[in-house]
Amino acid sequence: MKHASNRIVYLIPALSFLSLSGWAIKWFNPMQAGFPVVQNQAFVEELSQSYHRLPDRAKPLVRDAVWNLSQNSAGLAIHFYSNSPEIKIRYQVSGPFAMPHMPATGVSGVDLYRINSDGTRQFCFNTYSFGDTIVYTYSGLSASTYHSLGFEYQLYLPLYNGVKWMEIGVQDDQSVEFIPVYREKPIVLYGTSIVQGACASRPGMAWGNIVQRNLDLPLINLGFSGNGRLEKEVIDFINEIEAQIYLLDCLPNLSGETQESVQEKVIASVKQIREKHPDTPILLIEHAGYSNGEVSESSKQSYQKANAASRKAFELLKQQTKQLYYLSREELNLSADGWVDYVHPSDLGMQQQAKVVESKIREILHMPVGNIQTTIPVTQRREPGMYEWKKRHEDNLENLYKAQPQSVIIGNSITHYWGGVPDAPAQNGPETWKKYMKDFYNLGCGWDRIENVLWRIYHGELDGYTASRIILMIGTNNLDMNTDEEIVTGLDVLLEAIQYLQPKAEIRVIGILPRRERENRVRQINQKIEKMVNEHKCLYIDAGKGLFQSDGKINEQLFKDGLHPNDKGYALIAPFILKTSNR
């Protein structure tokens, strides 16, 4: 379950700092937020005041090399909201800035991304300087047109260095609102220097971080340069983490061992995880090879032997254990330009590995993604200050687990502001809700589109309970930006996901409700939606047909604003939603 702590804005007492743009800068320390804020970090209760990856109790149990590397902040991130036109990051690191084969921006730098109101990630870049204190400056940042609190920012920390302290600075009339650690089950990735991030040009280009962004799931990076060896002591700590999937990518550090030894270690590691996690998927990843594999026979034989041993272990294990998966070198398919040196990927290689691994994870976790907007799950932050969309999602996860509802209704503001639990900032039809819908848990979110509901479904809002009735009422907010075909395709993908996650539920899909100046189009698209819903063997309900006048226009007396029904309008919709047949 996700953590539902209240968000706190914490201002650090500090001297003002005048930026180049002439603004005074005030500083915020993530460690003083009042709750854990380091994303993608396991053992949160023990590590919440550090940027480390293994707790102190690991030090006497793992080899010194593993322990020292665990002090690097690879994969860790800080998420926060801000509307400041200038953001500065200042921090100190514990080791050298760069390595011979990896630049300072990758070893010791940070990366800042922001998510706009429609869920699109945007890379931020401006200037940086390396010294006793490293400073990154992002100037001229545009303001959000939707939300008074601006954008969500995601700050990736250094891959090959330890962070001693860090502060985030914003214009003195703005603030930083830290986002608590997400408690959604993570992906756990155990591996070598390639997993840790060598030789990405910057933190955001490490393949684990790319996978994390694209799936929008927490990802625990347990890559240890030269020391990802499938060791029992490390897997003991991995077993403490409840994961969505475990990824084992250690073969590059085992290629010097005999085939028998590699096979034994793979088998032992899988069995060790299976003892604690009998049903969680495990993905074994082959050695991607060497850049000189085609010109050096010894290099080629080295990775081929390791991969052959891993494949043999997999063939033996899959007869004994379920939910075990495999990703081959041929599937990874790194190109000749995919390396920086003999083994470490370039940014091109990182992107290729991330693409293949992401696709495999989506297949395993049943999280398909399409190539049109309505089939690409994304978050949103369009509600102008009435509530926080992600906070509502996290609260829903907590409340759903406790409530174990039998009936849920999923939708946008037409659902959200109807009434019921959880409380909404406004209610347009509370009396009708009490009369007809009181048994339903309200999974509506204002401004939601199909792709936003798909994100919420992929991220747990139908997990952990068994519903008998599910009502889906979504699509009207896609009318101004998507074709009929795109809307129906998105609903098709969404309905398939709902059926997979709640196979025992009766699912009813409500046609798009009529709205002012969209009446004819709504009639046409609903015919296409009905056909698609019937193919899924679900029940289609044309609940909005009672909201028209005889001239084909909506009856304005039944609406608050030409889009949202009022209590009288809901009173006509509700009986259609609940009746036993659409005839």
Side-chain angles (χ1 to χ4, degrees):
M1 297 299 296
K2 288 192 175 181
H3 186 61
S5 298
N6 292 325
R7 289 166 171 76
I8 300 173
V9 177
Y10 193 99
L11 175 61
I12 299 166
L15 295 176
S16 295
F17 176 89
L18 197 63
S19 72
L20 293 177
S21 60
W23 293 98
I25 298 294
K26 60 183 180 183
W27 298 94
F28 298 81
N29 186 338
M31 293 292 102
Q32 297 180 7
F35 48 83
V37 299
V38 182
Q39 308 288 344
N40 309 319
Q41 185 181 56
F43 318 105
V44 172
E45 298 305 320
E46 298 171 85
L47 294 176
S48 62
Q49 290 300 303
S50 77
Y51 300 103
H52 301 162
R53 294 183 291 155
L54 287 178
D56 288 346
R57 58 189 168 86
K59 186 173 183 179
L61 301 176
V62 301
R63 289 182 299 106
D64 288 346
V66 173
W67 170 252
N68 292 335
L69 288 162
S70 77
Q71 309 304 287
N72 296 164
S73 55
L76 304 184
I78 304 294
H79 295 187
F80 60 92
Y81 296 120
S82 184
N83 209 22
S84 178
E86 182 170 337
I87 295 175
K88 300 179 80 71
I89 314 296
R90 66 182 183 186
Y91 60 102
Q92 288 184 330
V93 295
S94 56
F97 290 151
M99 298 188 293
H101 62 332
M102 188 172 174
T105 50
V107 172
S108 305
V110 295
D111 259 346
L112 188 67
Y113 291 78
R114 79 177 186 185
I115 303 177
N116 71 11
S117 299
D118 293 325
T120 300
R121 272 188 179 76
Q122 302 165 326
F123 176 60
C124 304
F125 183 80
N126 205 236
T127 63
Y128 59 86
S129 62
F130 282 80
D132 179 61
T133 297
I134 301 172
V135 179
Y136 274 67
T137 301
Y138 306 90
S139 301
L141 298 169
S142 58
S144 171
T145 57
Y146 282 98
H147 209 293
S148 60
L149 294 178
F151 298 100
E152 176 182 345
Y153 287 90
Q154 300 183 343
L155 179 70
Y156 287 97
L157 305 189
L159 297 170
Y160 265 80
N161 226 322
V163 175
K164 296 165 68 175
W165 62 269
M166 172 175 284
E167 292 178 342
I168 298 172
V170 295
Q171 188 174 294
D172 62 358
D173 61 345
Q174 299 295 330
S175 64
V176 166
E177 188 178 359
F178 290 111
I179 299 175
V181 169
Y182 297 125
R183 293 300 189 183
E184 191 170 4
K185 287 183 179 181
I187 299 165
V188 175
L189 174 58
Y190 176 31
T192 67
S193 57
I194 301 168
V195 167
Q196 185 167 343
C199 286
S201 64
R202 52 185 180 83
M205 293 310 299
W207 76 260
N209 284 343
I210 298 173
V211 169
Q212 184 276 313
R213 283 198 304 281
N214 290 348
L215 288 171
D216 216 359
L217 288 170
L219 187 146
I220 310 298
N221 185 322
L222 294 178
F224 304 110
S225 184
N227 289 276
R229 302 180 185 175
L230 294 179
E231 294 172 301
K232 178 183 181 301
E233 295 78 9
V234 176
I235 293 180
D236 280 337
F237 282 96
I238 288 174
N239 268 340
E240 294 183 27
I241 307 169
E242 291 290 336
Q244 294 209 36
I245 184 172
Y246 299 97
L247 278 55
L248 302 181
D249 189 15
C250 292
L251 293 187
N253 285 165
L254 301 176
S255 59
E257 299 190 16
T258 66
Q259 286 184 263
E260 291 76 13
S261 175
V262 173
Q263 181 177 318
E264 289 173 1
K265 287 186 176 182
V266 172
I267 291 173
S269 298
V270 171
K271 287 185 174 181
Q272 187 178 349
I273 293 173
R274 272 290 167 263
E275 288 177 2
K276 297 290 185 181
H277 307 281
D279 300 314
T280 307
I282 300 172
L283 176 61
L284 304 176
I285 302 175
E286 276 194 355
H287 194 320
Y290 293 115
S291 61
N292 63 348
E294 297 305 315
V295 297
S296 170
E297 189 61 30
S298 61
S299 293
K300 188 174 185 177
Q301 289 180 359
S302 176
Y303 71 72
Q304 284 181 336
K305 288 179 180 178
N307 287 344
S310 176
R311 170 65 74 171
K312 179 64 174 177
F314 171 72
E315 294 296 335
L316 293 171
L317 285 164
K318 72 176 185 178
Q319 300 173 26
Q320 309 166 25
T321 184
K322 58 185 178 180
Q323 291 277 65
L324 183 65
Y325 303 90
Y326 201 79
L327 196 54
S328 69
R329 172 184 173 273
E330 289 72 25
E331 290 173 287
L332 292 172
N333 193 30
L334 266 65
S335 69
D337 292 326
W339 282 275
V340 166
D341 51 20
Y342 71 104
V343 69
H344 299 105
S346 63
D347 286 356
L348 180 62
M350 290 285 185
Q351 288 177 318
Q352 172 63 14
Q353 176 131 351
K355 176 182 176 182
V356 175
V357 174
E358 178 197 342
S359 178
K360 193 71 172 181
I361 293 174
R362 287 191 178 280
E363 175 188 332
I364 295 168
L365 299 183
H366 300 277
M367 298 174 64
V369 62
N371 55 14
I372 60 175
Q373 178 186 342
T374 55
T375 64
I376 301 172
V378 292
T379 61
Q380 60 103 336
R381 199 167 186 243
R382 291 184 288 271
E383 191 67 70
M386 292 183 69
Y387 72 97
E388 196 61 71
W389 189 88
K390 276 193 173 178
K391 174 72 161 56
R392 178 172 171 84
H393 167 71
E394 293 168 27
D395 288 347
N396 277 335
L397 297 185
E398 199 79 22
N399 295 335
L400 286 163
Y401 181 78
K402 296 175 183 177
Q404 294 290 302
Q406 291 292 303
S407 304
V408 298
I409 181 168
I410 305 168
N412 49 43
S413 56
I414 295 172
T415 301
H416 187 178
Y417 298 147
W418 189 347
V421 176
D423 291 337
Q427 293 193 358
N428 298 329
E431 296 306 316
T432 303
W433 183 278
K434 292 176 184 176
K435 181 176 180 180
Y436 292 101
M437 306 294 293
K438 63 180 183 299
D439 294 333
F440 281 81
Y441 188 100
N442 190 326
L443 283 178
C445 277
W447 294 75
D448 257 14
R449 301 171 186 154
I450 294 167
E451 58 269 25
N452 307 131
V453 174
L454 186 62
W455 188 95
R456 293 197 279 127
I457 296 306
Y458 282 173
H459 290 262
E461 291 196 9
L462 291 181
D463 294 345
Y465 62 97
T466 300
S468 59
R469 292 186 297 178
I470 296 176
I471 306 296
L472 177 64
M473 190 162 63
I474 193 71
T476 193
N477 289 330
N478 292 90
L479 288 173
D480 288 336
M481 61 194 59
N482 298 110
T483 66
D484 290 3
E485 289 70 25
E486 289 171 338
I487 291 172
V488 174
T489 299
L491 287 171
D492 186 21
V493 172
L494 177 57
L495 188 53
E496 185 174 337
I498 294 172
Q499 288 181 299
Y500 173 78
L501 291 168
Q502 290 281 354
K504 296 182 179 180
E506 178 203 67
I507 302 170
R508 299 184 176 196
V509 179
I510 310 304
I512 295 175
L513 297 183
R515 53 187 294 184
R516 184 187 298 147
E517 298 179 358
R518 306 289 196 286
E519 292 94 342
N520 288 335
R521 187 180 175 196
V522 166
R523 290 189 189 93
Q524 294 169 2
I525 194 172
N526 279 344
Q527 292 175 3
K528 300 171 184 177
I529 293 172
E530 181 176 14
K531 180 180 177 182
M532 179 273 295
V533 171
N534 290 337
E535 290 172 354
H536 279 273
K537 295 182 171 52
C538 295
L539 185 61
Y540 171 82
I541 305 287
D542 186 8
K545 58 188 178 183
L547 304 179
F548 289 103
Q549 297 178 142
S550 59
D551 63 358
K553 300 296 185 179
I554 64 167
N555 184 343
E556 296 281 356
Q557 295 182 2
L558 302 175
F559 288 84
K560 178 183 178 183
D561 51 12
L563 169 63
H564 299 88
N566 56 26
D567 213 35
K568 292 180 180 179
Y570 283 118
L572 294 176
I573 294 168
F576 281 104
I577 291 176
L578 298 179
K579 71 177 183 176
T580 58
S581 171
N582 195 30
R583 304 302 176 197

